[in-house]
Amino acid sequence: LCAAPKRLGDDLGGVCGHRAAMQPPSEQWRPPVPSDDAVQVTHVDAALAKISCAKLGYFEDRWTEQLMRNTRPYPRSPLIHRGYYSRVAAIRSSVLRFLSNCPQGSGVQIVDLGCGFDTLYFWLRDNPAVWRDDLVFFEVDFPEVLSKKISAILKKQNLWPLLDASSQEDILAPGLNANGMKDLRTKHLRYVSTDMRMNNELVSAMSAAGFQPNVPTLFISECVLIYMQSLHGDSIIEWAGHAVPDAPSAFVVYEQFNPTDPFGKVMVDNLMRRGCPLLSIHEYPTLAAQRERYLQRGFDQCVAADMNQVYDKYLDAKDVERIQRLELLDEFEEWHLIQAHYFVLCATRAPGGGAAVAGEAEGDSAGAWIHKVPIGAGPGGGAASGPESP
């Protein structure tokens, strides 16, 4: 839950928490020029919000705090905490559905696009109940972001066993990448430092990191594509829709939509104030438009739901009941407004040709299991706030 990228602020750009903040800008005000820096540097706010949620018991995350230099307490409202819970639970649920349905032993890939300081890899690796030793996890972001994350990991030796490393040499690639820096390269975790908007650079960097076109793959994007011009986001979706021609793939997305009602207009305006405009929200303003976006770019099926639906219908009911006892929430109108302007989408694609994927039962259509991954697709995995509840 944020009106900024996954690596952006946790306060929805001033949209939630305080009614006084929900005012449009004056006619005299002019927005700042959008910049990559505005998107990159505020990932700290999102990380601090996750730390706050974890300390209160909303979900398990004991790794983000280790990557942050400044983890000073900062008061956040129950509205923010519950929103982050619903987001994290929805993404983790989708990941678990993908891993539980994917045949064992033949390899599997996860690609976190615009990862920032996210710790999904560590959550999986530290959870024997869901970890798979045939998994390779790719984290993709700007070099400026990943260099800070690498520096933090190198200083935290207690994280090294989760990387199969006993020294810094075990963590870093032997040579320099195209940006003149060393990437993190381990058996299971690979950092890809690149500007995703440059398609050729993305393809080249992913290949150099060991990305395979014939291994089942899950792409993840949380509040990333919405901050790009639509042609750049479309290019990334097009790439993902064709990057794994010989195996099933899925693309799970969490971001903003619905910009035309009063709340949506304020959300858009507030982010414009911060120099972080939602550059493609008007090209794809509805769930129907978002579904069509993916279906036109290589995916076979696409399911999308706003976060009210996800929270009420698709997250683990017992876990939702548990977190609702953690803090008193009395801003129900605002809660439902915010959730109505965020969505989770899952686009899926099975390889053509009709040949069964390695490990599938004879007679199964090629990779048909991939269509069980969407969060509302029925049995195949549940929401998880921590390893104890997969």
Side-chain angles (χ1 to χ4, degrees):
L1 174 78
C2 62
K6 182 180 185 181
R7 284 18 98 186
L8 276 178
D10 63 296
D11 62 350
L12 293 100
V15 169
C16 77
H18 301 283
R19 293 282 180 182
M22 297 179 61
Q23 301 296 327
S26 67
E27 293 182 2
Q28 290 77 31
W29 177 82
R30 292 292 180 270
V33 176
S35 71
D36 291 342
D37 289 343
V39 175
Q40 293 175 32
V41 300
T42 49
H43 68 272
V44 174
D45 288 335
L48 291 176
K50 289 185 177 181
I51 292 170
S52 180
C53 287
K55 286 183 174 180
L56 289 172
Y58 278 89
F59 49 78
E60 183 178 17
D61 183 351
R62 57 182 179 273
W63 308 279
T64 299
E65 188 170 18
Q66 299 187 57
L67 300 179
M68 302 300 299
R69 276 190 271 179
N70 183 1
T71 58
R72 66 191 184 283
Y74 183 81
R76 287 167 174 82
S77 72
L79 192 68
I80 295 297
H81 288 144
R82 193 171 292 189
Y84 262 97
Y85 164 79
S86 62
R87 167 181 172 171
V88 170
I91 294 298
R92 288 182 177 181
S93 174
S94 299
V95 171
L96 295 186
R97 295 176 72 89
F98 172 73
L99 293 176
S100 65
N101 280 287
C102 181
Q104 293 275 351
S106 299
V108 61
Q109 299 176 140
I110 295 177
V111 181
D112 193 344
L113 297 165
C115 62
F117 270 51
D118 192 73
T119 56
L120 177 59
Y121 166 82
F122 290 105
W123 178 76
L124 288 171
R125 185 62 194 269
D126 214 18
N127 180 3
V130 300
W131 175 253
R132 295 176 49 150
D133 203 49
D134 61 346
L135 170 62
V136 178
F137 199 110
F138 299 86
E139 296 193 3
V140 186
D141 214 320
F142 288 110
E144 297 88 342
V145 174
L146 289 182
S147 64
K148 295 176 183 177
K149 195 171 185 180
I150 291 172
S151 178
I153 289 173
L154 292 177
K155 295 174 183 176
K156 293 293 182 179
Q157 295 189 28
N158 60 306
L159 294 178
W160 293 4
L162 298 176
L163 300 170
D164 307 291
S166 58
S167 68
Q168 293 189 2
E169 289 72 23
D170 295 334
I171 296 173
L172 298 175
L176 301 179
N177 62 21
N179 302 296
M181 58 179 281
K182 288 191 174 184
D183 275 321
L184 185 150
R185 287 281 194 278
T186 68
K187 177 182 177 182
H188 295 290
L189 181 61
R190 319 278 175 84
Y191 281 8
V192 182
S193 303
T194 189
D195 184 341
M196 293 183 293
R197 297 168 299 186
M198 306 294 104
N199 186 260
N200 290 339
E201 292 182 15
L202 174 62
V203 172
S204 176
M206 288 296 297
S207 177
F211 182 77
Q212 300 295 319
N214 59 348
V215 174
T217 302
L218 175 66
F219 300 92
I220 302 171
S221 171
E222 297 181 52
C223 294
V224 173
L225 303 181
I226 194 73
Y227 289 86
M228 300 179 183
Q229 293 180 7
S230 58
L231 75 162
H232 292 137
D234 291 348
S235 177
I236 292 171
I237 297 168
E238 185 88 25
W239 167 73
H242 298 86
V244 191
D246 303 319
S249 61
F251 202 144
V252 173
V253 180
Y254 171 91
E255 61 186 24
Q256 302 93 327
F257 80 118
N258 195 11
T260 57
D261 68 6
F263 187 95
K265 289 177 180 178
V266 173
M267 176 178 71
V268 171
D269 286 340
N270 283 345
L271 283 159
M272 181 70 75
R273 287 175 181 264
R274 295 175 57 174
C276 307
L278 304 174
L279 292 176
S280 60
I281 195 167
H282 292 289
E283 279 80 8
Y284 301 103
T286 65
L287 293 183
Q290 286 286 349
R291 284 191 290 264
E292 193 63 24
R293 184 184 195 186
Y294 289 80
L295 293 174
Q296 290 181 354
R297 290 172 176 83
F299 291 93
D300 302 330
Q301 298 183 23
C302 188
V303 176
D306 71 39
M307 290 306 294
N308 279 318
Q309 293 176 281
V310 172
Y311 187 84
D312 293 339
K313 296 182 180 180
Y314 302 133
L315 299 187
D316 184 276
K318 290 184 179 179
D319 203 51
V320 168
E321 183 179 352
R322 176 189 67 82
I323 67 100
Q324 288 181 162
R325 295 194 297 267
L326 295 177
E327 294 181 285
L328 175 65
L329 175 69
D330 56 10
E331 303 161 296
F332 289 105
E333 180 184 356
E334 198 166 355
W335 162 251
H336 290 298
L337 275 173
I338 293 167
Q339 294 289 80
H341 289 78
Y342 287 79
F343 68 89
V344 166
L345 172 150
C346 183
T348 54
R349 177 189 176 279
V357 175
E360 288 190 327
E362 186 176 356
D364 283 354
S365 61
W369 60 265
I370 196 69
H371 302 310
K372 300 177 183 178
V373 171
I375 197 168
S385 62
E388 71 280 359
S389 57

